[in-house]
Each structure stands twice: as structure tokens, then as C-alpha cells.
């Protein structure tokens, strides 16, 4: 048994197709298939059910693949320890971030990270929260930036910042020229929300619950940009995070932003990594750079009446 064979098994478990697993492993399909059979012979058990249309792992195969992911993750940790010892600020970091934050935070953060860690290779993966958590647990991500709360005792949580929301409404909406909003100003309003799986949907639903508002039925967006365009088209109103309405985000016509009075509804953002990670000191330095972005990016005082 060798690490390469375990990598082939993990790839097969992920793709459930010999061809795609071979492509992901940068080997030919016959090579991968042969090595999986050798692994089965060595272990004396069947790992794979081979059918004409798809590949299924046996129960034993799934369990061994799960443990193999842990082994490979530990090997990566060993390599990382050696790399960090040689040069603490170089190497590769795989960072996950969720879609309603990534496009708006990264333009402010990536240049600062390049300046602070010029030899660092930052590999970014944009996924919904549950997928980022899954990849952290499996060891396919080194760290993630997510909205709190996150309930996982295996992960360290490093708070970064609190991001307030503003209300986006069409220019002719009754709230467009409103002063700072109170929560009860949203009572009886129906808001456009994202589809299931986005943490921002859950946060917006919590605001709706507290304010006595509801969800506009018949439509759920796949992205913040879709929500923004629906507001522009007079379909309804929505909540947008502060970073999503600041440059370099492009303006949209017929959209007014209305700030909330303090304390505004908000989301708390943190960086997470495995408590077992050997890179904790470096991740803390990384988090410090992110935490140092200008606080005016989170200001909503001048939001009212300004197009998004």
C-alpha cells in the first residue's frame, strides 16, 4: 500500500467514475483501475462495485476512503510543517469562502495579503457554507471564511469583523427616502431572499422574524447580484451586506439604499481552521491582515438615497 493508491481511491470515491477520477489524478484510466485492483488484492476485500454506467464503493470501500482522506490530510500537514519551518510565509494555502462574501471582500483583502506575504500562493475556493465546512473536515481546505455561528468542536474560530446590512429598495419605494430605519419599519414588508443553502438567507429570515416582515413568494435568487437586479426591476426589496454596496461593486439604476439605526442588523464573519492544524500561528497572522481592512467599508451612515 502506498499514498498514491490511497489518492486514487479517494478520487474514485469523490467522482464515482474511473475516467474522471483518472483525469483528476493525472493518470490514465487503465493505470488507476489497475492500482485500485492491486489495492483490493493487497487488502483482500472488494472496495468497488463496477457497473456498466457508474462506480459504487462498497461499504468497506467507503470506510477505507474516509480514513484515507484523513491519512492524506495528515501527510499534507507534515509537509506543511516542514515548509513553514523552512519559510513560514511561503507555500500554498487553500482558503474557502462563501459566495455572498467572496466577491465583495476579496478585492479589499487579496492585495493586502500579496503585500504582506509575497511568496504565498493563495488558492481560493468559493462554496456554500456547508460545503466549506465539509472540505475543512475532510482536509481538502486549510481554512475557511464563514459567517457565525458555526457549531463544530474540531474547528478553531477566529473572529474577523461584523458586517451590517442595508435595505435595498426601488427609487420610488415608500422607504427610499426614509431616515435610518427601525426594525419595525419593515413590519408587513415582504423581502426578496436567496435560495436555500445560502447562510445569508438564514440571516435575512432572522431579520424578517425580528421585524415582523415576510418573504416574497414565488422567487428565490441564486446570487446577490440577482437580488440587486430584481430590486432595480421594481420586483421588490431586499437586504444587502455593507461590502456588497461599496466600490468596486458596480452601481445599478433605480436602487436606493437605506441604512438602519444603530444597532443595525448584521452578520459576524470569522476565519476557521482545524484545531489540529500545524499552521495555526500563520493563520492567526493571516486573520490579522484581513481584520485590518478599513472600517469605513462597514459604514452605512451615508447609505440612504445612494444607488447601489
Amino acid at each position: 500500500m502506498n499514498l498514491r493508491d490511497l489518492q486514487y481511491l479517494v478520487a474514485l470515491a469523490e467522482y464515482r467514475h474511473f475516467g474522471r477520477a483518472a483525469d483528476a489524478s493525472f493518470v490514465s484510466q487503465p493505470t488507476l483501475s489497475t492500482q485500485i485492483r492491486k489495492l483490493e488484492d493487497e487488502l483482500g476485500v472488494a472496495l468497488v462495485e463496477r457497473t456498466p454506467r457508474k462506480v459504487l464503493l462498497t461499504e468497506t470501500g467507503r470506510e477505507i476512503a474516509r480514513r484515507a482522506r484523513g491519512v492524506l490530510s495528515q501527510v499534507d500537514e507534515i509537509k506543511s510543517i516542514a515548509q513553514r519551518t523552512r519559510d513560514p510565509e511561503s507555500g500554498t494555502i487553500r482558503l474557502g469562502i462563501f459566495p455572498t462574501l467572496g466577491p465583495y471582500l476579496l478585492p479589499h483583502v487579496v492585495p493586502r495579503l500579496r503585500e504582506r506575504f509575497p511568496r504565498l500562493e493563495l488558492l481560493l475556493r468559493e462554496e456554500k457554507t456547508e460545503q466549506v465546512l465539509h472540505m475543512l473536515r475532510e482536509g481538502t481546505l486549510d481554512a475557511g471564511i464563514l459567517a457565525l455561528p458555526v457549531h463544530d468542536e474540531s474547528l478553531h474560530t477566529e473572529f474577523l469583523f461584523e458586517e451590517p446590512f442595508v435595505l435595498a429598495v426601488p427609487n420610488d419605494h415608500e422607504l427610499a427616502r426614509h431616515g435610518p430605519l427601525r426594525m419595525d419599519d419593515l413590519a408587513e414588508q415582504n423581502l426578496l431572499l436567496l435560495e436555500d443553502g445560502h447562510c445569508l438567507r438564514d440571516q435575512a429570515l432572522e431579520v424578517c422574524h425580528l421585524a415582523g416582515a415576510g418573504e416574497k413568494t414565488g422567487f428565490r435568487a441564486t446570487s446577490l447580484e440577482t437580488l440587486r437586479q430584481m430590486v432595480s426591476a421594481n420586483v421588490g426589496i431586499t437586504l444587502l451586506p455593507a461590502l456588497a454596496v461599496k466600490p468596486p461593486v458596480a452601481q445599478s439604476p433605480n436602487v436606493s439604499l437605506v441604512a438602519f439605526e444603530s444597532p443595525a442588523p448584521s452578520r459576524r464573519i470569522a476565519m476557521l481552521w482545524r484545531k489540529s492544524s500545524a499552521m495555526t500561528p500563520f493563520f492567526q497572522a493571516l486573520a490579522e491582515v484581513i481584520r485590518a481592512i478599513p472600517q469605513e467599508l462597514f459604514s452605512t451612515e451615508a447609505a440612504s438615497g445612494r444607488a447601489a
Side-chain angles (χ1 to χ4, degrees):
M1 186 187 306
N2 58 58
L3 293 176
R4 177 62 66 182
D5 291 343
L6 296 182
Q7 289 171 340
Y8 293 156
L9 180 62
V10 168
L12 193 59
E14 179 177 354
Y15 292 98
R16 300 191 180 189
H17 185 279
F18 276 102
R20 288 194 290 272
D23 289 342
S25 303
F26 303 102
V27 296
S28 67
Q29 181 173 331
T31 295
L32 185 138
S33 181
T34 298
Q35 292 305 118
I36 293 292
R37 285 194 181 277
K38 286 183 178 179
L39 184 58
E40 289 177 316
D41 291 342
E42 181 174 352
L43 296 174
V45 293
L47 302 175
V48 179
E49 295 179 19
R50 296 165 175 83
T51 66
R53 293 190 176 182
K54 60 182 177 180
V55 173
L56 298 175
L57 267 65
T58 64
E59 183 176 349
T60 301
R62 290 193 297 272
E63 176 63 17
I64 291 176
R66 184 184 70 81
R67 292 179 180 270
R69 288 190 188 95
V71 171
L72 296 172
S73 178
Q74 290 297 314
V75 170
D76 286 341
E77 293 283 357
I78 291 170
K79 292 178 179 178
S80 294
I81 291 172
Q83 174 64 35
R84 297 296 168 201
T85 301
R86 293 193 303 269
D87 189 350
E89 296 181 358
S90 70
T92 300
I93 294 296
R94 301 164 298 177
L95 182 67
I97 191 167
F98 59 100
T100 61
L101 178 65
Y104 314 108
L105 174 64
L106 293 176
H108 304 288
V109 166
V110 170
R112 294 169 179 270
L113 291 176
R114 282 185 183 152
E115 182 179 357
R116 174 65 179 81
F117 306 108
R119 299 185 305 279
L120 179 69
E121 180 183 41
L122 186 62
L123 301 182
L124 297 166
R125 180 74 177 260
E126 186 178 282
E127 298 283 356
K128 292 180 181 179
T129 296
E130 284 305 313
Q131 181 64 12
V132 171
L133 288 172
H134 172 75
M135 295 175 75
L136 278 173
R137 297 183 193 112
E138 294 292 330
T140 52
L141 286 177
D142 299 308
I145 298 178
L146 297 174
L148 297 175
V150 173
H151 304 291
D152 191 319
E153 291 299 320
S154 70
L155 299 176
H156 172 82
T157 300
E158 188 82 9
F159 175 75
L160 296 176
F161 55 81
E162 188 158 353
E163 182 184 20
F165 294 118
V166 296
L167 187 71
V169 302
N171 287 341
D172 60 358
H173 192 274
E174 59 184 351
L175 296 176
R177 283 160 292 281
H178 201 288
L181 292 168
R182 300 186 307 273
M183 291 292 283
D184 57 12
D185 290 325
L186 294 184
E188 309 303 323
Q189 297 284 346
N190 291 314
L191 274 65
L192 297 164
L193 300 180
L194 292 169
E195 64 183 2
D196 289 334
H198 289 277
C199 63
L200 182 57
R201 171 180 172 79
D202 298 331
Q203 295 151 5
L205 282 172
E206 183 178 355
V207 173
C208 289
H209 175 73
L210 293 173
E215 177 181 4
K216 188 175 182 66
T217 59
F219 174 83
R220 288 184 181 178
T222 58
S223 70
L224 278 186
E225 297 314 306
T226 303
L227 285 180
R228 198 192 310 267
Q229 294 308 314
M230 291 300 99
V231 175
S232 180
N234 276 314
V235 174
I237 66 177
T238 195
L239 292 171
L240 294 176
L243 288 174
V245 299
K246 299 291 177 71
V249 178
Q251 295 186 347
S252 298
N254 192 38
V255 176
S256 292
L257 302 174
V258 191
F260 289 87
E261 67 180 20
S262 183
S266 62
R267 60 183 182 182
R268 291 167 52 82
I269 305 299
M271 186 171 167
L272 297 93
W273 59 86
R274 292 179 298 281
K275 290 179 179 178
S276 61
S277 175
M279 296 188 287
T280 290
F282 178 75
F283 288 147
Q284 289 172 333
L286 205 67
E288 192 59 39
V289 174
I290 298 172
R291 199 158 31 223
I293 62 176
Q295 287 304 298
E296 54 263 30
L297 290 172
F298 306 114
S299 172
T300 60
E301 293 179 358
S304 296
R306 184 168 57 83

